[in-house]
Amino acid sequence: MKKRFEITSLICAAILGCLLLVFLVMRFEPKIQLLFNEAAERQWIISHFQSSSPIDLISFSLLIILFSVIPGFPASIIGIVAGICFGHWLGFMVNVIGITMGNFIAATFLNTISNHWVKRRPNRLYADLVNMRHPKLGVVIGYSIPFIPSMLVNVAATDLKFSPPQLFSLCLTGSLVVSALYSFSGDALFKGNFRLLALLLVLMAALVTLVRVIHIDRKQAR
């Protein structure tokens, strides 16, 4: 029954996500047309494009939640687009809300299917996460690194049996880093700040080295 409920929920989430995406594209279509207006000043286009309404912010946050819940959906791309559409700070806020709530919902209520996929074949990172001496640190690192599938971290967090408040705080803490990377990267890309964009890409790559912390901590737990 739980698996059937999850399948139905994910299908509904996918349909709602696609409809919401279409709605947002229609909302932003007039702003997108501004990008091709050669007569307008570049700074005016940027400030006008990144102006926002509560409806846009709420809709985008909900879209990121839905894309974070559904395995395989490109939540990272939507996170970068949030930086493009709202600028780095508002984009950061939207990403934090969406990614935190999406991971929390996926780990708390929709974990049966993800559990089956992750455990279908041996995964060293999953094994390290659930056997660490400091598992909370491992989960935060897992949520912080864009290249680690959140589905894997969600399954590990579920198996570690954190209380809902603990799990929410871990999702929130981990999302701060990845949300900043997405929103600042999107904003830098839109404004043509390629020096900052290159720095952020290097930072993303450097974050992968934190996986070593997970492996080392697990060895110390033996």
Side-chain angles (χ1 to χ4, degrees):
M1 286 296 293
K2 190 174 189 299
K3 187 175 182 180
R4 185 179 300 175
F5 166 77
E6 289 190 15
I7 293 175
T8 303
S9 298
L10 291 175
I11 292 174
C12 291
I15 294 173
L16 180 58
C18 291
L19 292 175
L20 196 55
L21 184 60
V22 172
F23 168 75
L24 284 168
V25 169
M26 294 174 62
R27 288 273 300 177
F28 277 85
E29 184 180 5
K31 292 184 179 182
I32 294 173
Q33 292 177 356
L34 284 176
L35 302 178
F36 303 97
N37 186 347
E38 298 180 357
E41 293 184 0
R42 181 171 177 273
Q43 190 57 46
W44 181 85
I45 291 176
I46 291 174
S47 60
H48 190 74
F49 186 91
Q50 291 188 336
S51 61
S52 57
S53 69
I55 293 177
D56 296 328
L57 294 171
I58 294 171
S59 298
F60 235 99
S61 298
L62 181 57
L63 183 64
I64 295 176
I65 291 173
L66 293 171
F67 272 45
S68 297
V69 164
I70 304 169
F73 269 47
S76 57
I77 294 177
I78 304 300
I80 293 172
V81 172
I84 294 174
C85 294
F86 303 118
H88 47 264
W89 289 119
L90 276 179
F92 172 71
M93 180 189 72
V94 167
N95 273 315
V96 168
I97 294 172
I99 295 173
T100 299
M101 292 304 302
N103 286 333
F104 179 74
I105 292 171
T108 306
F109 303 106
L110 303 173
N111 51 29
T112 301
I113 297 174
S114 299
N115 196 299
H116 173 72
W117 286 353
V118 169
K119 296 179 181 177
R120 186 170 52 183
R121 63 183 67 180
N123 187 291
R124 181 185 175 186
L125 182 56
Y126 165 80
D128 287 345
L129 283 170
V130 296
N131 291 289
M132 285 179 66
R133 187 172 63 168
H134 303 96
K136 291 181 181 179
L137 175 63
V139 170
V140 168
I141 291 175
Y143 282 133
S144 300
I145 301 177
F147 306 106
I148 295 180
S150 57
M151 177 176 64
L152 185 149
V153 185
N154 289 336
V155 172
T158 300
D159 289 347
L160 287 166
K161 300 188 184 306
F162 295 118
S163 67
Q166 286 178 326
L167 179 57
F168 183 83
S169 66
L170 296 175
C171 291
L172 174 60
T173 304
S175 75
L176 294 176
V177 176
V178 74
S179 296
L181 289 172
Y182 291 157
S183 59
F184 277 80
S185 295
D187 187 50
L189 179 64
F190 181 62
K191 293 178 178 177
N193 189 346
F194 296 109
R195 182 176 298 179
L196 176 59
L197 183 61
L199 178 62
L200 291 168
L201 291 175
V202 170
L203 182 58
M204 286 187 195
L207 281 173
V208 178
T209 61
L210 289 177
V211 175
R212 287 292 303 160
V213 175
I214 297 174
H215 295 325
I216 293 171
D217 193 83
R218 185 205 173 165
K219 289 180 180 178
Q220 293 176 346
R222 292 175 180 173

